[in-house]
């Protein structure tokens, strides 16, 4: 039995039953099946409402509206990836690799490698966690470099005010999205607005950095440098941001 046009993930099978009558004639009964073996469920593009709308717009021939919606969906998917927990506790090398990848990705969104304003909160958090992991991995100089990046990002964040429109970068990729700070929405190139599910990730509280570098527990990777004058200078810089 040769199955025809089975799709990927399917199997074909046939069972034969032979029955002979009184005259010796043989009758063959066949049972053919095509059974789909499904993989474990995963998130699938077009399986949620945002992508379904995008597809409907395309089918209706609304090319420009489709592109705007596609860019908005790109923004949401990117933020979803950046907001996902990494489960790096007790694994400094893994934390460094994942956070540096995220940082590199954010640099790609801006002009000349500059992280766009809308992503400064995400960037600050990634830099801070990566700095701690680098110290935990005995890479002290790199740790201080990332700690400095985190502080500079926090200093920029501390200047943002509610209602400020923050550019998200890569206009064509993200539909010219601007994040409306403090309001949890993005403004798109056609003037429409969409709510953001992970707005708290974009609005990292700059004052939290002071807590992180002084916390008695939860940030033990900083322990190897807490007594250094250089580290104490960064703590003072973080305190000034928190006191604003």
């Amino acid at each position: 039995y040769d199955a025809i046009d089975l799709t990927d993930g399917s199997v074909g099978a046939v069972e034969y039953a032979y029955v002979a009558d009184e005259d010796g004639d043989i009758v063959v009964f066949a049972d053919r099946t095509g059974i789909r073996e499904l993989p474990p469920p995963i998130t699938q593009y077009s399986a949620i409402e945002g992508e379904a709308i995008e597809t409907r717009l395309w089918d209706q021939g609304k090319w420009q509206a489709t592109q705007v919606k596609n860019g908005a969906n790109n923004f949401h998917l990117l933020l979803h990836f950046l907001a996902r927990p990494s489960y790096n506790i007790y694994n400094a090398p893994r934390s460094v690799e994942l956070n540096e990848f995220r940082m590199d990705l954010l640099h790609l969104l801006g002009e000349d490698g500059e992280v766009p304003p809308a992503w400064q909160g995400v960037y600050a958090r990634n830099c801070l966690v990566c700095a701690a992991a680098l110290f935990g991995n005995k890479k002290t100089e790199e740790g201080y470099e990332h700690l400095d990046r985190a502080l500079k990002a926090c200093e920029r964040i501390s200047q943002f005010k509610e209602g400020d429109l923050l550019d998200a970068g890569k206009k064509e990729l993200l539909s010219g999205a601007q994040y409306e700070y403090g309001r949890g929405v993005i403004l798109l190139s056609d003037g429409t607005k969409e709510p953001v599910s992970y707005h708290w990730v974009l609005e990292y509280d700059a004052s939290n950095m002071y807590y992180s570098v002084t916390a008695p527990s939860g940030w033990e990777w900083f322990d190897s440098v807490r007594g250094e004058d250089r580290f104490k200078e960064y703590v003072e810089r973080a305190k000034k941001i928190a006191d604003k």
Side-chain angles (χ1 to χ4, degrees):
Y1 165 61
D2 293 324
I4 299 174
D5 295 330
L6 286 178
T7 60
D8 290 343
S10 297
V11 295
V14 62
E15 292 184 4
Y16 295 98
Y18 299 86
V19 178
D21 62 13
E22 299 176 325
D23 299 321
D25 295 322
I26 295 176
V27 179
V28 180
F29 296 90
D31 180 17
R32 295 179 174 84
T33 63
I35 302 171
R36 183 72 184 272
E37 293 183 341
L38 296 175
I42 58 172
T43 300
Q44 182 179 8
Y45 193 76
S46 80
I48 63 175
E49 183 62 19
E51 285 86 26
I53 292 172
E54 175 186 309
T55 302
R56 288 199 295 271
L57 289 170
W58 183 260
D59 291 342
Q60 293 165 6
K62 298 178 180 178
W63 321 128
Q64 186 174 2
T66 304
Q67 290 165 3
V68 171
K69 187 61 179 175
N70 178 263
N73 288 334
N74 288 340
F75 179 93
H76 295 308
L77 289 168
L78 179 59
L79 183 55
H80 175 76
F81 168 71
L82 293 168
R84 293 185 66 233
S86 300
Y87 305 105
N88 293 323
I89 191 168
Y90 308 126
N91 192 335
R94 184 174 190 272
S95 181
V96 170
E97 181 173 322
L98 293 180
N99 281 287
E100 285 194 334
F101 177 82
R102 289 173 172 173
M103 291 160 58
D104 289 343
L105 183 60
L106 292 171
H107 280 289
L108 289 174
L109 294 175
E111 296 293 332
D112 300 321
E114 289 293 324
V115 177
W119 303 103
Q120 286 292 326
V122 185
Y123 187 71
R125 170 71 179 178
N126 286 149
C127 289
L128 178 62
V129 174
C130 192
L134 284 163
F135 287 132
N137 206 29
K138 310 302 181 185
K139 295 184 178 181
T140 303
E141 287 305 313
E142 292 179 42
Y144 276 120
E145 177 188 336
H146 285 67
L147 189 59
D148 190 68
R149 291 187 192 182
L151 271 163
K152 287 178 178 177
C154 284
E155 288 165 352
R156 296 186 187 102
I157 295 167
S158 66
Q159 304 300 315
F160 297 157
K161 299 182 293 297
E162 183 176 348
D164 284 352
L165 290 174
L166 308 179
D167 179 49
K170 293 296 180 187
K171 182 178 179 180
E172 295 300 331
L173 177 70
L174 303 175
S175 293
Q178 294 177 290
Y179 181 68
E180 197 166 342
Y181 191 75
R183 296 177 182 171
V185 296
I186 50 173
L187 174 67
L188 304 171
S189 57
D190 64 351
T192 60
K193 292 184 179 182
E194 289 195 5
V196 176
S197 297
Y198 300 100
H199 60 89
W200 56 270
V201 178
L202 296 171
E203 295 187 18
Y204 176 71
D205 187 347
S207 64
N208 282 342
M209 185 165 180
Y210 178 66
Y211 165 79
S212 301
V213 295
T214 58
S217 63
W219 291 86
E220 285 82 1
W221 281 335
F222 284 131
D223 288 351
S224 63
V225 292
R226 288 190 192 278
E228 295 182 7
D229 290 339
R230 188 176 176 185
F231 185 79
K232 292 176 182 178
E233 290 175 4
Y234 282 105
V235 172
E236 286 303 311
R237 283 176 59 186
K239 187 175 186 302
K240 289 179 182 178
I241 296 172
D243 290 342
K244 284 187 177 181

